[in-house]
Amino acid sequence: MEFFSALWVGYPLWVWLMFFGLVIGLLAFDLGVLHKDQHEISVSESLKLSAFYIFMGLAFGGWLWWYKGSTAGMEYVTGYLIEKSLSMDNVFVIALIFTSLGVPRMYQHRVLFWGILGVILMRAVMIGLGAVLVAKYQGVLVLFGAFLIFTGIKMLIADDEHGKLEDNKFYQWIRSHMRFTPTLHNEKFWVRGEDHGLAKGWWATPLFLTLILVETADLVFAVDSIPAIFAITQDPFIVYTSNIFAILGLRALYFALAAMVHRFHYLKYALSIVLVFIGVKVGLVYFNHEGLVDFKIPTGVSLGVTFGLLLAGVLYSLWKTRNEPFPEA
């Protein structure tokens, strides 16, 4: 009960119903209208759909600004920017999974679409637990801050190698504990073995294995992104909605971003500085609460610093890689 009250607090039922209704409507429109037939997603289609999701995410932020005030609005936009930027590295991992398992572009959207349903539930659980911890133990903010500073420094000095999928321990474990068909079977996640010359019973396809691995990657990246947004605001509604809208847009942008992500190499340096800055900010929240210091970083300053650093990282990356071609639409 405490978990749900922490996630629910401060907002009437109709606000939550409106948000979930909007998300369900977007997913239904995506699957039932835009992608009711299996086809390869082109770069131009990916960019157009992403622009639509970005518009919807920012429009929701505009409504929140009107409904709850400028502070809530700025916190939402800051969280949205951070989640969007942190998810960039997730694109590398998802692309590695698709390539390693030989998933054609035609079926990649199906995996990403069903993956978002798991993310919606998984993020709700993690954010609810985070809200309970922050509400009961303010000291956890110091841990969040230290973790973000550590992550930022690690990102600054780490190389970009993600290794081979075959060497991943979870991949090896799941392959040894489930029955997978040797090849894909169109868009199906499960097939009957006796229909394909295999042992009787249900067999998972490599497409279902792909879905499991993509969901696992989302879980790993949530460990970074959720503390980062809790550093901006302790309002679970803002944390959750900014997460979900950013991820919805990332799924749409994936097909374009995967083709040009090499052009944003220097964004990670800007993002690492953002994480260190936010880690300091969240530490100050705790020390102010305990009366140990009397200095706060205003929400508007957080938004300005975050946006400025990320924009600088994008522009510098594009300038440094200006001679490299963009993918064809």
Side-chain angles (χ1 to χ4, degrees):
M1 181 63 74
E2 187 175 9
F3 167 85
F4 291 105
S5 64
L7 189 61
W8 191 272
V9 67
Y11 293 85
L13 176 62
W14 69 267
V15 171
W16 283 100
L17 291 177
M18 179 193 70
F19 166 69
F20 283 115
L22 181 59
V23 171
I24 292 170
L26 288 172
L27 292 175
F29 177 71
D30 190 332
L31 186 65
V33 178
L34 298 180
H35 301 102
K36 60 182 178 181
D37 60 321
Q38 297 287 341
H39 66 279
E40 290 191 17
I41 309 297
S42 66
V43 172
S44 60
E45 182 181 354
S46 174
L47 291 173
K48 290 175 185 176
L49 187 57
S50 178
F52 169 71
Y53 274 115
I54 290 172
F55 170 78
M56 294 300 296
L58 294 179
F60 185 84
W63 173 83
L64 189 62
W65 193 307
W66 169 82
Y67 178 68
K68 291 287 282 187
S70 59
T71 298
M74 286 188 288
E75 288 175 346
Y76 172 89
V77 174
T78 306
Y80 180 86
L81 286 173
I82 291 172
E83 174 62 38
K84 201 83 165 174
S85 303
L86 281 171
S87 298
M88 287 281 287
D89 201 40
N90 207 358
V91 172
F92 282 104
V93 177
I94 293 174
L96 172 66
I97 293 170
F98 282 146
T99 302
S100 299
L101 296 179
V103 179
R105 285 174 62 91
M106 180 181 297
Y107 305 130
Q108 290 176 8
H109 178 269
R110 177 174 171 82
V111 174
L112 295 174
F113 175 86
W114 289 106
I116 193 63
L117 299 181
V119 169
I120 290 172
L121 178 61
M122 188 164 54
R123 295 288 171 108
V125 173
M126 295 182 71
I127 290 169
L129 292 173
V132 171
L133 286 174
V134 171
K136 293 194 66 161
Y137 310 105
Q138 277 285 309
V140 77
L141 291 175
V142 177
L143 295 178
F144 281 176
F147 175 75
L148 291 173
I149 293 172
F150 170 78
T151 302
I153 295 173
K154 181 181 177 183
M155 183 182 295
L156 192 63
I157 63 178
D159 58 36
D160 294 327
E161 294 296 324
H162 288 284
K164 296 181 179 179
L165 180 62
E166 293 79 6
D167 297 331
N168 182 275
K169 297 298 183 183
F170 178 73
Y171 171 80
Q172 295 172 356
W173 183 86
I174 199 72
R175 288 294 309 226
S176 64
H177 285 77
M178 287 184 66
R179 296 195 303 182
F180 291 99
T181 60
T183 60
L184 292 167
H185 292 272
N186 298 323
E187 77 284 359
K188 295 178 180 178
F189 288 129
W190 294 87
V191 295
R192 296 291 300 182
E194 56 267 32
D195 296 335
H196 301 279
L198 300 170
K200 187 176 181 181
W202 287 103
W203 286 67
T205 69
L207 201 66
F208 186 71
L209 174 60
T210 306
L211 177 61
I212 294 174
L213 295 175
V214 168
E215 289 287 278
T216 305
D218 275 319
L219 177 61
V220 171
F221 281 97
V223 174
D224 285 339
S225 64
I226 290 177
I229 301 182
F230 265 114
I232 298 299
T233 176
Q234 285 78 61
D235 185 327
F237 182 80
I238 296 176
V239 174
Y240 185 61
T241 55
S242 61
N243 255 260
I244 297 305
F245 271 112
I247 293 170
L248 282 172
L250 179 74
R251 288 295 196 272
L253 186 58
Y254 168 79
F255 297 95
L257 202 56
M260 65 176 78
V261 75
H262 62 284
R263 294 209 56 184
F264 297 96
H265 172 74
Y266 296 95
L267 178 60
K268 79 165 192 173
Y269 299 110
L271 184 56
S272 66
I273 299 173
V274 168
L275 289 177
V276 172
F277 168 75
I278 293 172
V280 172
K281 173 184 166 62
V282 74
L284 289 174
V285 170
Y286 172 75
F287 292 126
N288 271 282
H289 182 267
E290 296 297 313
L292 300 175
V293 297
D294 188 21
F295 176 72
K296 296 180 180 180
I297 300 177
T299 303
V301 173
S302 297
L303 175 58
V305 170
T306 300
F307 180 78
L309 285 171
L310 295 177
L311 179 62
V314 169
L315 293 178
Y316 184 72
S317 294
L318 292 175
W319 179 75
K320 287 288 287 185
T321 59
R322 60 191 179 279
N323 296 322
E324 298 183 28
F326 273 101
E328 296 182 3

